[in-house]
Amino acid sequence: MMLMSLRYALLGLVAQEPSSGYDLLGRFKISLGQVWPATQSQIYTELTKLADAELIKVSDEGARGRKEYSITDDGLAQLQHWLTETMPKRVPRNEMLLRVFFLGLASRVQARAYLGAVDEEYTKVAQHLRTLGEAVDWDDSDLSVYGRMAMEWGERFAAMNQEWARWALEQIPERRA
């Protein structure tokens, strides 16, 4: 249910700091883009829905129709309810593992290439997260403390996938028995 989670991601960002759609798009890409990607049109559409539902309000208007949004009391209450009283839905689909399950239908060379590509991809993800983490001025604010926790999960997830891909490569025999 992407839009519902997008809704709460935007409420959370606006709760931390009043922001324009443009500002939110930038903050979203930097802080949440690795775990919950969203396009510009999805973000602006959801901002309109949040404003219509009175969960955010326009707190300032600038040049060229720029609107800055802040969270309302109802919006903060909904965000807190979602954070503390609901459990995330487990997404049981994993296309990468579905492909792995059927790699026996491909040649050994193709299977090795696929698993090598998984390793490469997560190596890139890990490097991107390290670079991003080095660029952030971490402090003791809530955004930094909890943002760092989320980034650590991403780093560990990437490392686990790299380790698994390398292990899986070792499991493929050189030739059929």
Side-chain angles (χ1 to χ4, degrees), residues 75-120:
L76 185 58
Q78 272 201 28
L79 176 61
Q80 289 171 336
H81 171 79
W82 175 79
L83 282 169
T84 61
E85 298 179 34
T86 64
M87 291 301 294
K89 290 180 174 69
R90 184 181 178 293
V91 180
R93 295 180 178 169
N94 183 321
E95 185 178 343
M96 180 193 70
L97 289 178
L98 178 62
R99 290 171 187 236
V100 168
F101 189 82
F102 292 113
L103 276 179
L105 299 172
S107 72
R108 299 287 191 240
V109 170
Q110 290 169 318
R112 289 180 163 290
Y114 177 76
L115 292 169
V118 170
D119 179 26
E120 256 183 61

Side-chain angles (χ1 to χ4, degrees), residues 119-143:
D119 179 26
E120 256 183 61
E121 174 65 22
Y122 282 101
T123 298
K124 289 177 187 174
V125 169
Q127 180 57 47
H128 173 75
L129 289 173
R130 275 192 297 278
T131 301
L132 183 60
E134 291 167 2
V136 173
D137 290 329
W138 300 106
D139 56 30
D140 63 351
S141 69
D142 285 346
L143 180 59

Side-chain angles (χ1 to χ4, degrees), residues 4 7-8 10-11 14-15 46-58 69-79:
M4 287 306 288
R7 165 176 287 223
Y8 294 112
L10 291 171
L11 280 173
V14 171
E46 192 60 30
L47 285 173
T48 300
K49 291 177 183 178
L50 289 168
D52 289 347
E54 298 182 352
L55 301 177
I56 61 173
K57 64 182 177 188
V58 175
Y69 297 95
S70 59
I71 196 162
T72 64
D73 290 342
D74 285 345
L76 185 58
Q78 272 201 28
L79 176 61

